[in-house]
Amino acid sequence: MDDDLFTLPEEYRMLRAAVRELVDAKVAPNAAEADATASFPWASYQALVAGDFHAPHIPERFGGAGADALATCLVIEEIARGCMASSLIPAVNKLGTLPLLLAGTPEQQQRYLPPVARGDVMFAYGLSEREAGSDTASMRTRAVRDGDDWVLTGTKAWISNAPVAGFFMVFAVTDPDGRRGANVSAFVVELDDPGFSVGTPEHKMGITGSPTAELHLDGVRVPGDRLVGTAGEGLKLALRTLDHTRVTVGAQAIGLAQAALDLAVRYTKERMQFGHAVAEFQGVQFMLADMAMRLEAARQLVYAAAARSERGDDDLGFFGAAAKCLASDTAMAITTDTVQLLGGAGYVKDLPAERYMRDAKITQIYEGTNQIQRLVMARHLLR
């Protein structure tokens, strides 16, 4: 057996080192302020653009870095280690643009991908609604054909990075009388389209530096050439996209969990109680060992899912759901244990432990709750 079978190739290790160096110097220092002020970290965004880490998945032919699925996960993991909110920059750019890469026309790809690759604009993804979260097929947003155009009306909710995006992948029902799930289509909406507006940012528990808001579509006229893929196939495209991007949520989760574990190890080695470093106590050592063990298991699953995403394997649906589910549950457990290990110091904002714990929760919710992930996995098993 090859001794390096489960070792990242050198180019991936070099990529990780490059991202880590940039994040430590120019992203992580902005994390606490972005969280405290609930403001988008523009300085971090510019640093990621300068490093070509803001949308690394975009192919080179469109001016992007051409990173594969695993490389993109490594970028997102390392950014999340320094600033969870900033990790949504490459993650949401991939989420918003992937439908174009999967089903867009060459003209659409050439129009929308190069500006994102240059860092001129960000892309957001408009699928969820207040009453259509896990049950996406029940969405109420409508798109009515009018000549060669489509007119969109409705509201999308919980849209990550909506207040800072310029392009939006929006899903709407185009055939109200059609078969449920086979009557939705995908469209590109632009920020300056008449009738389109972005709502007030939500007040959130975590990832506050990544603004989340509603999209309001009041008779937005979209040219026919902004229909992405085939009319009626939009929900399939949305779910196919999520099969790939759930892996990046797993990458976020393990990056955040690594930051929390690193903090727990440092603190318990330095904190003295009863004349000894806290890390010398067996109970603490058992906690740290369990945290590290769970994290490494989740990391390996995320990387395995990323490889399947790159190949487009038939079992990607299972592995994407499993990676997202295990990694996010692990991040929640590790960040909670970190707060516990730090005691009172973990509960106050002087150290980032409480931020890590707040940030971790969303990874169990967005891009499909972990209850939905378990349903996805079970359906794959029972086919």
Side-chain angles (χ1 to χ4, degrees):
M1 181 179 290
D2 186 348
D3 290 338
D4 293 327
L5 185 60
F6 295 104
T7 301
L8 287 176
E10 178 65 20
E11 61 266 29
Y12 291 96
R13 297 197 296 272
M14 291 175 62
L15 171 64
R16 184 195 294 280
V19 181
R20 179 169 294 190
E21 181 179 7
L22 182 143
V23 169
D24 286 347
K26 299 185 178 180
V27 175
N30 307 320
E33 181 180 1
D35 175 71
T37 60
S39 57
F40 183 76
W42 285 107
S44 298
Y45 177 70
Q46 294 302 327
L48 293 176
V49 170
D52 217 358
F53 299 136
H54 63 295
H57 70 287
I58 295 181
E60 293 178 355
R61 65 183 183 276
F62 301 116
D68 63 23
L70 177 55
T72 299
C73 280
L74 291 174
V75 170
I76 292 171
E77 176 187 349
E78 285 301 319
I79 298 172
R81 189 185 61 83
C83 176
M84 182 65 173
S86 295
S87 74
L88 273 88
I89 293 168
V92 175
N93 270 335
K94 180 169 183 176
L95 179 63
T97 58
L98 193 57
L100 288 170
L101 289 167
L102 293 174
T105 65
E107 292 77 17
Q108 290 171 335
Q109 294 171 344
Q110 192 59 51
R111 176 173 180 176
Y112 292 110
L113 296 179
V116 179
R118 292 193 300 269
D120 295 342
V121 65
M122 283 178 270
F123 229 110
Y125 184 84
L127 177 63
S128 295
E129 299 180 4
R130 295 282 174 180
E131 302 302 324
S134 296
D135 183 15
T136 53
S138 67
M139 69 177 67
R140 298 178 181 177
T141 299
R142 298 288 186 263
V144 178
R145 189 183 290 275
D146 184 11
D148 293 332
D149 300 339
W150 294 87
V151 179
L152 279 63
T153 303
T155 301
K156 293 294 178 178
W158 319 119
I159 310 306
S160 298
N161 283 358
V164 293
F167 300 145
F168 304 82
M169 187 65 58
V170 174
F171 298 86
V173 173
T174 48
D175 182 9
D177 299 322
R179 181 170 61 86
R180 173 183 163 87
N183 60 350
V184 173
S185 303
F187 302 88
V188 177
V189 175
E190 300 179 7
L191 182 61
D192 58 359
D193 285 337
F196 178 74
S197 61
V198 176
T200 303
E202 304 283 356
H203 298 287
K204 299 180 299 184
M205 177 171 71
I207 59 166
T208 61
S210 171
T212 300
E214 291 185 333
L215 307 181
H216 300 294
L217 301 113
D218 184 12
V220 178
R221 183 173 293 273
V222 173
D225 62 5
R226 290 207 226 149
L227 171 70
V228 180
T230 305
E233 298 291 313
L235 193 57
K236 290 182 181 179
L237 178 60
L239 298 180
R240 184 182 171 199
T241 296
L242 292 174
D243 282 343
H244 291 273
T245 58
R246 281 170 179 155
V247 185
T248 66
V249 176
Q252 287 182 316
I254 59 176
L256 179 63
Q258 185 67 63
L261 177 59
D262 291 345
L263 174 60
V265 169
R266 289 196 307 271
Y267 186 87
T268 57
K269 288 169 66 176
E270 296 170 358
R271 171 71 167 165
M272 301 295 294
Q273 290 289 283
F274 306 103
H276 297 274
V278 172
E280 294 181 25
F281 297 113
Q282 189 180 64
V284 170
Q285 292 177 357
F286 281 6
M287 287 182 69
L288 292 172
D290 284 341
M291 293 158 72
M293 177 174 60
R294 295 185 64 179
L295 174 56
E296 193 55 40
R299 176 177 282 117
Q300 295 302 322
L301 183 54
V302 169
Y303 293 177
R308 285 166 169 81
S309 173
E310 183 63 25
R311 295 191 301 261
D313 288 356
D314 291 340
D315 59 0
L316 171 61
F318 175 89
F319 272 85
K324 189 266 190 194
C325 189
L326 179 62
S328 58
D329 283 350
T330 297
M332 194 71 247
I334 289 175
T335 56
T336 301
D337 282 348
T338 297
V339 171
Q340 186 70 24
L341 286 168
L342 270 62
Y347 202 72
V348 297
K349 294 181 181 292
D350 296 345
L351 293 174
E354 59 83 31
R355 167 160 54 90
Y356 295 159
M357 185 175 173
R358 288 186 288 107
D359 286 349
K361 187 59 196 175
I362 192 59
T363 63
Q364 295 179 304
I365 298 172
Y366 60 13
E367 295 202 31
T369 66
N370 282 4
Q371 287 74 26
I372 289 295
Q373 305 314 311
R374 288 173 168 86
L375 287 175
V376 170
M377 286 184 275
R379 288 170 182 168
H380 275 268
L381 290 172
L382 297 171
R383 279 178 180 172

